[in-house]
Amino acid sequence: MTDSPLPPLRPMPDDWRRALAVVAHPDDLEYGCSAAVASWVADGRQVAYVLATRGEAGIDTLDPERARSLREAEQRAAAAAVGVSTVDFLDHRDGVIQYGVPLRRDIAAAIRRHRPEMVITLNHRDTWAHSAWNTSDHVAVGRAVLDASADAGNRWIFPELTGQGLQPWDGVRWVAVANSPTPTHAVSAEPGFEQGVRSLLEHRTYLEALTEEDPETYARRFLADTTRAHSPRFGSLPAVAFELFSR
């Protein structure tokens, strides 16, 4: 008895102009989908980034205050490498993000502020592919993004946001989850691949703490491996894959 082949990955929607990417940490997008962001921005679409933390607990050898400023600067440079100029931070505490009303409110406020048609986040499921355990920060933020995408359009949820001048936004049509273990859609990684590599390389402080391998060799190999993994389901093209939820 053999497993049934997985279905092909469908192309991502292209009838949108604005997207908002909301993730937990600096580097989440660079590991997840910056090559796709690069191609979207080059195509004239607007993409903004929101990060729940500044990654202050991510480097064992650096004091959190020092890590906070370094990783914020690296994230801004990483965003610029793929053409993204807007990077906001919610200042939740790295490593102990809690899913709940405050996080949903902060993300709903960001959605109302940026008014995207597509919201992008990172894997919210308990595991990655091959059953590797996910972290609680990713799970909390991903789940909150799914909920806040609906919260943002309901004026009776977080009515205080309206009082702050943030009118309801019910225009989110999709939530795209990068690095999901169960992807459904994809975009070609080829047009934005080199920008994706440069974007990940901007996290040099983090990469040098993570691996003894040359940072560029590591970044290029990692992104090549992850994008090739989806090729059999996407016309043999290297691909950035997403689990797409429609609203």
Side-chain angles (χ1 to χ4, degrees):
M1 185 98 180
T2 59
D3 294 334
S4 299
L6 293 170
L9 296 170
R10 287 165 280 171
M12 287 286 285
D14 61 6
D15 56 332
W16 58 273
R17 303 309 305 169
R18 294 186 308 279
L20 178 66
V22 184
V23 294
H25 314 108
D27 77 48
D28 282 353
L29 288 163
E30 288 65 50
Y31 274 104
C33 62
S34 61
V37 172
S39 63
W40 288 330
V41 173
D43 193 37
R45 304 175 200 275
Q46 299 175 30
V47 183
Y49 287 0
V50 170
L51 287 89
T53 79
R54 297 179 195 254
E56 66 273 11
I59 301 176
D60 183 66
T61 55
L62 282 182
D63 175 88
E65 286 304 313
R66 178 62 175 153
R68 181 194 313 271
S69 61
L70 283 171
R71 299 200 73 196
E72 176 186 342
E74 290 183 344
Q75 180 57 64
R76 293 190 187 280
V82 293
V84 172
S85 59
T86 300
V87 182
D88 298 332
F89 295 87
L90 301 179
D91 285 324
H92 287 254
R93 186 179 166 197
D94 186 16
V96 290
I97 302 174
Q98 294 186 339
Y99 172 85
V101 169
L103 181 61
R104 284 171 49 196
R105 181 190 298 114
D106 286 349
I107 297 172
I111 292 170
R112 288 188 179 198
R113 186 176 299 112
H114 292 282
R115 306 175 82 77
E117 298 149 270
M118 180 182 291
V119 177
I120 302 159
T121 192
L122 197 66
N123 181 23
H124 63 287
R125 300 191 181 279
D126 288 339
T127 62
W128 304 100
H130 311 299
S131 300
W133 193 249
N134 199 357
T135 73
S136 59
D137 279 4
H138 297 145
V139 173
V141 172
R143 286 185 56 203
V145 166
L146 286 164
D147 291 333
S149 295
D151 296 338
N154 189 329
R155 71 177 58 255
W156 306 120
I157 299 176
F158 311 133
E160 64 272 25
L161 297 180
T162 306
Q164 297 169 16
L166 296 172
Q167 295 300 318
W169 174 248
D170 196 30
V172 176
R173 299 166 62 191
W174 307 279
V175 177
V177 180
N179 285 6
S180 168
T182 55
T184 57
H185 292 67
V187 60
S188 172
E190 289 182 333
F193 183 81
E194 290 299 325
Q195 283 177 275
V197 171
R198 293 199 298 274
S199 186
L200 181 54
L201 273 173
E202 292 293 350
H203 295 282
R204 187 166 292 271
T205 302
Y206 181 74
L207 295 180
E208 289 177 349
L210 179 71
T211 177
E212 294 182 357
E213 190 174 5
D214 171 71
E216 182 167 0
T217 301
Y218 168 85
R220 189 171 295 279
R221 175 183 54 77
F222 180 90
L223 293 179
D225 288 348
T226 55
T227 56
R228 276 199 303 261
H230 301 293
S231 296
R233 299 178 62 191
F234 199 63
S236 299
L237 294 172
V240 180
F242 299 88
E243 183 177 8
L244 192 68
F245 294 89
S246 299
R247 293 196 61 251

